[in-house]
Structure formats: C-alpha cells, structure tokens
Amino acid sequence: MIKDLINFGAGPAALAPSILAAAAQAIVNYNNSGLSILEIPHRDGKHFDEILAESKALVLDLAGLSADEYEVLWLQGGGRMQFAMIPMNFLAQDATAGYIDSGFWAHDAQSHALQYGNIETLCSTRESNYTSLPIVPKNISDQLSYVHYTTNNTIYGTQFAQIPECSSPLIADMSSDIFSGQRDYSRYDLFYAVAQKNLGAAGVTLVVVKKNMLDKIVRKLPPILDYKQHALQHSVLNTPPVFGIYVSLLSLRWIQQKGIKNLAAENNAKAEALYKEIERNSLLTAIVAAKNRSNMNVVFNALNEEMEHELIAYCNNNGIVGVKGHRSVGGLRVSLYNAISMAQVQQLITVLKAFENEKK
Ligand SMILES: *Cc1c(COP(=O)(O)O)cnc(C)c1O
C-alpha cells in the first residue's frame, strides 16, 4: 500500500511519490549493488563518492555557482547547529554581526550568536509578533562580520522578495524556500537549508559556503564544528548521514528535471490559488498582508479557535494532514513546498469550500 494522506505539514514535509519509491528501493538494494543504502560504506571510493559528487554538482548547478568559488557541505545537527556554527566560526568576541529579526528562527539564530560576540539587530518585527516583514535598512555597515537573515519565515508565512543590500558577508537560512524559485545565489557568502522542508529527509543540512569565508574563521574549534575542516574532509569528517544525503540527491534530481523556472511558476500558482480561496471564503482570513506573503507557508485563521479545531479535524477526515498552525501562532498553516502538486492544492480548496457550505 502506498501513502494516501496529503501532508501539508511544515516539516518533515511531503516528498514526491517517485522520490519515496526510489528511496524505498535503495533501502532494499541500492542500485543493484547487493547492499542496502543503509549498509554501503562511506569511504570505499565507490557508491557514496558518486552520491556525494552528483549531489554537490547538482546543488551548484541549481544555484548557478561554480565549484571554484563555493564549497558544498552536507552536515548534521539541523538548523540549530548552523545557528551556533555561524557565530562560532565567523564572529570574534569583540566583533559585531548583523541580524534581521523576522521570525522565530531568525530570532533563535540571533540568540545563538549572542554567546560568541556582539549583535546588532538591523531591523525587527518582533513587537508585532512577526506578522509582517521588517524594513531592511539601506545603509547596512560594511564593518559587520556578517549579516544573517531568513529568506522565508516558516512559522509566520512571510517571505523576502528582495535580497538585502549589504557589503558585509551575507548569510541566509533558506531552510523553507531553497530551490523553490529563482534567486541570485551568487549574492550569498553562505547559505544553508535543513533538508526536511524542500530538500529531503530530516537528519541532513545543506551548507553552501564561499571558499574565501573559510579563511575568515575566527577561533579554534573542534573539527566537527569547523566549516574548514568539513570542507577539507569533503563532508566525510565523520560518518555522514548517507541515507539522508541520498534522499536529498533524489530531491535535487527531481528539482533539476522539473526545472527551477517551472517550479517557481507552479509554486506561485499554487500559493495564488490558495490565498484567493482564503480571501473568498467567508470563514477564513489570511494573517499576512499581500506584499509580505510566503508562497511556501500560508498562514490563516478561521472565525475563532473552536472553528479552527473543527476545520483541522474536517481536513483530517478528508485525507489532509499537517494544517495546524505552529504552536506559537495558532490558527492554520498550509505548506506548499515543491513536492506539493497543484492538484493537491485544488483538493484542499475543495475541502475548504465544503467546510464553508457545511457551516452555513
Ligand atoms: C525548520 C526550520 C529551522 C529549524 O530546523 P531544525 O532542523 O529543527 O533545527 C530553522 N530555520 C528555518 C527557517 C526553518 O524553517
């Protein structure tokens, strides 16, 4: 039996059926190697080397970057590990890093950095519970060790359309919108994404870092926390999450096959259709103003909390899961990552309409 629920959850998120089938096959017998992907060694110069090489090449190709200039790393420890590693590596005790405070994860990243050096909050919408994006200042100092921001705020459903202008090194958490649309990745000195949203399974984090950043590491660190050591060891400093990297490779192939341009158009159309229904539906209200809306995470309310619970249950009864809002915001949240099809969005819209009719 194959899975039959539509998962609109924010992460671990839906994966395309073809990716799940290929991952399942690899567990049984990887590429007819006679071994499961869970058993293949990571230092035999064969299967895993191919997985690593192809996955890195695909990342660079999709981002439009060159291997001469950027390193691609597959690391563990999720988003939080990056929140810590970034200041550990790049923020000296007496130096200052700039943070754009646009949501829960952006704020958490900033909190981690406080332990290592000075922080300048460049702009923040924390006071208004992050329901809109902060206005990024035009005159960001070029003396900052780096500027960190979150391209898409997974919990609050806001997404930056523009890349901040700054001449200090630019670092971005792209966990919930990487490769979902067209973007000039060459503007970044480091960007990262946990895999469990747009890029595969939990347990692996993609980090792409400009090589010249690796000469700016400010303190002596245990190798496992040092970007340069990971780069020197080609992501096999320790036993890597082989299966997770393989699922990301399958996702990257799938993205490559679809084409980012097509995915971008599809993602826009999906989000547009859903926001349109939320605006039409007499029981629902979108939380974020149109100009700040994310096309990855759509957050909205029903008339009251009780109705929200009813709607979540109604969705569950109709084969739709993962629509409950994050505990810090409440309401509803529908995540429309790459793997979600337009047909699935239409199915959700049909259910939202039926719910409205039932309540009349
Ligand atoms: C989910 C998420 C994270 C956290 O990832 P973990 O792997 O749970 O630490 C960080 N940043 C963003 C933008 C996210 O959406």
Side-chain angles (χ1 to χ4, degrees), residues 34-89:
L35 285 176
S36 163
I37 184 95
L38 304 179
E39 301 171 305
I40 62 165
H42 55 287
R43 297 192 201 273
D44 72 349
K46 272 192 346 209
H47 305 298
F48 183 64
D49 278 12
E50 287 169 15
I51 291 171
L52 208 51
E54 187 188 348
S55 67
K56 291 183 177 192
L58 275 172
V59 166
L60 292 172
D61 188 54
L62 290 169
L65 300 174
S66 127
D68 296 337
E69 239 188 315
Y70 284 86
E71 287 282 350
V72 178
L73 308 174
W74 293 106
L75 304 183
Q76 296 174 72
R80 272 104 166 166
M81 182 76 119
Q82 294 313 303
F83 297 170
M85 276 178 75
I86 289 161
M88 269 184 212
N89 280 265

Side-chain angles (χ1 to χ4, degrees), residues 36 39 46 93 170 172 274 294 297:
S36 163
E39 301 171 305
K46 272 192 346 209
Q93 210 178 351
L170 185 61
L274 181 55
S294 164
N297 310 99

Side-chain angles (χ1 to χ4, degrees), residues 77-80 83 105 150 152 154 173 175-176 194 196-197:
R80 272 104 166 166
F83 297 170
W105 299 117
T150 307
N152 181 75
T154 323
D173 177 355
S175 290
S176 50
V194 302
Q196 69 266 24
K197 277 135 193 180

Side-chain angles (χ1 to χ4, degrees), residues 320-331:
I320 288 171
V321 299
V323 300
K324 191 171 188 287
H326 189 270
R327 59 189 183 279
S328 65
V329 185

Side-chain angles (χ1 to χ4, degrees), residues 191-355:
F191 58 90
Y192 61 99
V194 302
Q196 69 266 24
K197 277 135 193 180
N198 246 327
L199 215 54
V204 62
T205 304
L206 170 67
V207 177
V208 181
V209 56
K210 222 175 193 171
K211 287 185 176 170
N212 66 10
M213 287 295 280
L214 301 175
D215 300 323
K216 297 183 189 168
I217 296 173
V218 296
R219 52 173 73 75
K220 180 123 184 71
L221 291 165
I224 194 77
L225 298 171
D226 184 318
Y227 288 116
K228 189 160 188 168
Q229 293 306 317
H230 281 289
L232 289 170
Q233 303 279 334
H234 309 290
S235 298
V236 281
L237 188 149
N238 62 327
T239 308
V242 172
F243 181 64
I245 296 171
Y246 182 64
V247 178
S248 285
L249 170 60
L250 295 171
S251 303
L252 291 162
R253 282 182 188 156
W254 183 90
I255 294 169
Q256 173 89 339
Q257 207 177 357
K258 283 221 158 205
I260 292 213
K261 203 169 156 205
N262 298 327
L263 273 174
E266 220 173 287
N267 285 332
N268 286 336
K270 279 152 46 186
E272 202 177 316
L274 181 55
Y275 283 116
K276 198 170 148 203
E277 167 58 18
I278 291 166
E279 275 165 8
R280 187 213 58 79
N281 196 305
S282 58
L283 308 178
L284 308 178
T285 326
I287 295 174
V288 176
K291 66 177 192 318
N292 287 165
R293 280 178 191 165
S294 164
N295 66 2
M296 293 281 100
N297 310 99
V298 176
V299 294
F300 56 103
N301 288 127
L303 295 185
N304 53 54
E305 217 177 303
E306 192 193 332
M307 188 180 278
E308 285 163 356
H309 290 303
E310 280 177 64
L311 178 50
I312 291 162
Y314 191 82
C315 285
N316 290 351
N317 289 336
N318 284 282
I320 288 171
V321 299
V323 300
K324 191 171 188 287
H326 189 270
R327 59 189 183 279
S328 65
V329 185
L332 294 105
R333 170 176 54 174
V334 169
S335 298
L336 303 176
Y337 301 126
N338 286 341
I340 295 289
S341 67
M342 186 57 153
Q344 291 175 320
V345 177
Q346 295 298 357
Q347 228 168 305
L348 171 65
I349 290 172
T350 304
V351 169
L352 296 176
K353 286 184 168 148
F355 182 73

